[in-house]
Amino acid sequence: QVQLVESGGGLVQPGGSLRLSCAASGLTFSSYIMSWYRQAPGKERELVASISSTGVITNYAISVKGRFTISRDNAKNMVYLQMNSLKPEDTAVYYCKAKRLTNDYWGQGTQVTVSS
């Protein structure tokens, strides 16, 4: 059974930082493209960042480029999202996703709130 468990969300002031983690189990982690998505209230879920199976290739939404960094540790079955210079518009539930061919798996999400 595939499980993705996110952690690290919380309340942070504008300009602050958070590091999200996603622990994966039940899959050959190193074969999967990993991504972080987010969904704000009343908005559609959007892609934030993705990382190739080897970690060599990364992609970012324009809105987070230069502020967020995605990384992975295939030995630990973990993917991370380092978020710096956070803005109120980054407030959302953040989801981890694993994708390989036609298989998509999602975590349950972790809330990030940026507010003073």
Side-chain angles (χ1 to χ4, degrees):
Q1 181 182 356
V2 176
Q3 280 195 315
L4 301 175
V5 180
E6 301 96 336
S7 60
L11 174 64
V12 63
Q13 291 188 342
S17 298
L18 280 176
R19 187 194 195 207
L20 304 184
S21 300
C22 174
S25 61
L27 74 170
T28 307
F29 182 75
S30 60
S31 298
Y32 282 75
I33 296 169
M34 299 300 298
S35 302
W36 287 96
Y37 283 72
R38 67 186 181 188
Q39 187 166 20
K43 294 189 176 181
E44 292 188 355
R45 193 172 295 190
E46 63 173 353
L47 176 65
V48 175
S50 62
I51 187 166
S52 63
S53 58
T54 61
V56 170
I57 300 171
T58 57
N59 289 289
Y60 297 91
I62 292 173
S63 58
V64 307
K65 204 165 188 177
R67 300 188 297 122
F68 291 10
T69 302
I70 189 171
S71 61
R72 66 189 296 161
D73 185 338
N74 284 351
K76 296 182 179 179
N77 287 9
M78 297 288 294
V79 63
Y80 307 98
L81 186 68
Q82 178 66 44
M83 305 186 294
N84 299 328
S85 301
L86 282 160
K87 305 175 181 179
E89 51 264 42
D90 294 318
T91 295
V93 178
Y94 283 70
Y95 298 90
C96 173
K97 189 183 93 167
K99 180 176 177 61
R100 180 178 182 270
L101 301 177
T102 58
N103 296 323
D104 283 358
Y105 301 102
W106 292 87
Q108 83 290 347
T110 185
Q111 176 71 46
V112 172
T113 303
V114 185
S115 175
S116 54

